[in-house]
Structure formats: structure tokens, C-alpha cells
């Protein structure tokens, strides 16, 4: 999870929402990603998707069986669906996302028995650090917007 937090810090340096992800097979990191939706002008460039793409290129396979994805924030519906479709074995995430979480909060896509694949899920790893990073980012962003309005 520390590597995912490092990726999230990279996203923040780019002005992106600080979410980071890594894909691990055994003891080896095979995929890394951080939010790049603004940088890439791509609404699908969430940290998880970027990391999954990186891992798929590494394995030369769209199936990521036996892998674990670590991500700082609970995946959204798009990302949770991608984890299921990629056949990721395990998901470990830091903080829940009360607005868009699709793993345990709003939906349970990764463990839904109606789907053809289910993941093991572990939530709350380095939760306080993951939550603090994203909350601080949005507090600063709101303060910047307020300052800009006040200057007008």
C-alpha cells in the first residue's frame, strides 16, 4: 500500500486527484498507476485502470489471474468492473469512498455472486493515511476556489 500511496503522491504533483494503485504478482510489482484523467484527457485513466493496463502489458495477457491490486481508495463501478473482467484474484484498498465506492460501500461488484468472477477483498489497509491524502487534497482545492472567487 505504501507504493500505492507513492503513486497517489505522483498524481497530486500532476494536479490530479491523488489516487494510486499497484498490481502485484507474488512478490513482484508488475503494474503501477495513478490518476491521469486530466493529464491524458481520458475519463477512463483512473489509477486502477492505468495499473491494470501496465500489468497486462507486462504479462502480455489481458487476464491477470493470481494478482493483487492495491489501491488507496475504494474503486468506482468502472474500476471494480475492470478488476472482475481482468480476473484479479485479490483487491486491497485503503479508504472507503462513500460517494462512488463499488466494492463494499454503494455496490459490491467484486463479490457479487451473479458475476462470473469474484475477488477476495481486504479494506482499511493504511486507511487513515489514504483518507488524509485525499481529504487534504480536496480541502486545499476548495480553499483555492474560494480564494479565486474572493479575488473576483
Amino acid at each position: 500500500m505504501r507504493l500505492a500511496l507513492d503513486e497517489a503522491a505522483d498524481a497530486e504533483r500532476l494536479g490530479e486527484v491523488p489516487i494510486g494503485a499497484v498490481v502485484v504478482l507474488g512478490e513482484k510489482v508488475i503494474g503501477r498507476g495513478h490518476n491521469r484523467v486530466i493529464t491524458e484527457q481520458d475519463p477512463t485513466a483512473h489509477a486502477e485502470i492505468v495499473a491494470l493496463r501496465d500489468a497486462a502489458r507486462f504479462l502480455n495477457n489481458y487476464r491477470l489471474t493470481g494478482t493483487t491490486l492495491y489501491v488507496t481508495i475504494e474503486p468506482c463501478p468502472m474500476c471494480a468492473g475492470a478488476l472482475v473482467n481482468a480476473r484479479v484474484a485479490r483487491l486491497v484498498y485503503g479508504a472507503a469512498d462513500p460517494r462512488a465506492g463499488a466494492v463494499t460501500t454503494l455496490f459490491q461488484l467484486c463479490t457479487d455472486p451473479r458475476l462470473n468472477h469474484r475477488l477476495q477483498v481486504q479494506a482499511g489497509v493504511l486507511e487513515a493515511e489514504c483518507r488524509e491524502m485525499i481529504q487534504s487534497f480536496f480541502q486545499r482545492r476548495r480553499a483555492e476556489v474560494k480564494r479565486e472567487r474572493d479575488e473576483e
Side-chain angles (χ1 to χ4, degrees):
M1 188 61 76
R2 295 253 179 242
L3 294 175
L5 281 163
D6 290 344
E7 289 291 327
D10 289 346
E12 187 166 14
R13 281 189 284 280
L14 293 171
E16 301 273 0
V17 175
I19 299 174
V22 294
V23 179
V24 176
L25 181 60
E27 298 293 317
K28 183 178 177 110
V29 174
I30 63 167
R32 295 174 179 270
H34 53 268
N35 272 7
R36 302 184 57 82
V37 295
I38 298 166
T39 306
E40 300 289 333
Q41 298 294 300
D42 179 355
T44 69
H46 289 198
E48 300 94 325
I49 302 296
V50 174
L52 290 173
R53 289 173 180 160
D54 194 35
R57 279 189 299 272
F58 178 86
L59 293 176
N60 199 31
N61 192 338
Y62 70 104
R63 295 279 192 234
L64 303 178
T65 55
T67 62
T68 299
L69 183 124
Y70 294 84
V71 63
T72 56
I73 303 297
E74 179 182 5
C76 71
M78 175 182 69
C79 294
L83 294 170
V84 170
N85 285 321
R87 307 298 194 271
V88 170
R90 183 169 172 245
L91 166 66
V92 179
Y93 70 87
D97 183 349
R99 294 178 187 221
V103 177
T104 57
T105 304
L106 298 178
F107 308 103
Q108 295 78 40
L109 292 178
C110 292
T111 55
D112 190 319
R114 296 170 295 180
L115 299 177
N116 62 345
H117 177 73
R118 284 165 292 291
L119 288 75
Q120 291 181 320
V121 176
Q122 182 178 356
V125 174
L126 299 180
E127 181 176 8
E129 289 176 55
C130 294
R131 183 182 301 107
E132 171 61 27
M133 180 176 270
I134 200 157
Q135 285 179 343
S136 295
F137 173 82
F138 283 115
Q139 287 170 353
R140 286 190 304 277
R141 180 76 55 94
R142 283 190 294 274
E144 289 169 11
V145 168
K146 183 181 183 321
R147 245 187 329 274
E148 289 171 5
R149 283 189 193 142
D150 291 346
E151 290 173 2
E152 291 176 351

